[in-house]
Amino acid sequence: MSQHHVTPNSQASAQSSIRPRLVVGLTGGIGSGKSAATKWFFEQGIDIIDADIIAHEVMAKGSKTLRQLQRKFGDWVIKDNGEMDRAAVRSLVFSSPDALMELEAITHPAIREAAKAKLAQSTSEYVILSAPLLIEGAEAGLANLCQRILVIDATEATQLERASRRDAQSISRIKAIMANQLSREERNHHADDVVVNDGDLDAFYDKLAPLHELYLQQAKLC
């Protein structure tokens, strides 16, 4: 998703742009509708900072973080074209909790610093920081950068149906991803706001609209 940021003209303006700006962390399980939500907020003129995009950026060809990963795991993590072999790394960490921890120890600090830099460049009245594992803490502690948490919720059956239709993934693969995420109950427990996405897009957007107004009002009080 595009990010409509304007780079501040000075270090002072960059620092002041983070505080007192309201940062809303947006999360939810696979297939819940996070992308639809961030697209809607973007269309309202709100800056979107996407942890998935950042994760790809910090591991880009030639990046410092990718070189760290190469030193840790070996040359096999980089393909002949110099890009990260994401499929091979994903296969490793999916089967090895220790490898996942080592990967996160390298990537999470880089993700957090990149997110902070993008927050400093934001110019909208409040900011949406979107991360699939925001609450679990597996997104570089990004929840600590947020003043409010919005969870997009859906039943497990709905998640499975949407995710399999969207990504053409197997049900077993989707269930494995869901198993690595918090349960609905745990995720919602940590939320300030929960939107249940169980209907069509128009109904979903109708639920987001009052939250947008709420966040605009809260942003004025920061």
Side-chain angles (χ1 to χ4, degrees), residues 2-201:
S2 301
Q3 298 173 14
H4 51 302
H5 292 157
V6 177
T7 302
N9 294 323
S10 68
Q11 182 178 1
S13 62
Q15 292 174 341
S16 63
S17 67
I18 296 182
R19 293 290 185 267
R21 190 176 309 279
L22 175 68
V23 180
V24 178
L26 187 151
T27 191
I30 183 173
S32 60
K34 297 184 300 297
S35 295
T38 54
K39 180 177 183 293
W40 185 87
F41 281 110
F42 180 81
E43 291 171 349
Q44 313 314 307
I46 301 304
D47 287 341
I48 306 297
I49 298 175
D50 191 316
D52 281 343
I53 294 176
I54 292 175
H56 278 78
E57 291 175 347
V58 301
M59 300 302 289
K61 178 180 178 179
S63 68
K64 175 183 176 182
T65 313
L66 183 55
R67 291 195 297 272
Q68 287 180 297
L69 193 71
Q70 181 183 18
R71 288 195 294 270
K72 181 65 178 180
F73 292 105
D75 293 341
W76 63 267
V77 303
I78 299 180
K79 297 188 291 187
D80 291 341
N81 62 4
E83 296 179 353
M84 175 184 173
D85 192 333
R86 298 183 182 278
V89 173
R90 189 182 306 115
S91 178
L92 172 68
V93 300
F94 192 75
S95 61
S96 172
D98 289 341
L100 176 60
M101 291 178 62
E102 292 173 337
L103 173 68
E104 292 175 344
I106 293 172
T107 59
H108 285 183
I111 292 172
R112 180 180 173 85
E113 289 308 306
K116 289 170 65 176
K118 291 181 182 296
L119 284 172
Q121 296 170 2
S122 171
T123 58
S124 58
E125 294 182 76
Y126 67 90
V127 190
I128 294 288
L129 177 53
S130 175
L133 301 178
L134 180 75
I135 298 172
E136 288 89 333
E139 292 287 359
L142 296 183
N144 294 330
L145 301 177
C146 305
Q147 287 78 54
R148 198 170 184 93
I149 301 296
L150 166 60
V151 167
I152 307 302
D153 187 34
T155 66
E156 291 186 2
T158 299
Q159 288 180 260
L160 286 169
E161 190 275 330
R162 286 177 181 158
S164 61
R165 183 180 67 234
R166 179 192 65 195
D167 300 332
Q169 299 186 83
S170 68
I171 295 297
S172 60
R173 172 63 177 168
I174 297 169
K175 287 183 175 180
I177 294 173
M178 292 171 63
N180 286 327
Q181 299 179 339
L182 287 178
S183 69
R184 293 178 65 197
E185 293 75 14
E186 291 175 303
R187 187 183 297 113
N188 292 350
H189 176 73
H190 291 279
D192 296 292
D193 306 297
V194 177
V195 172
V196 179
N197 181 18
D198 57 358
D200 60 24
L201 281 177

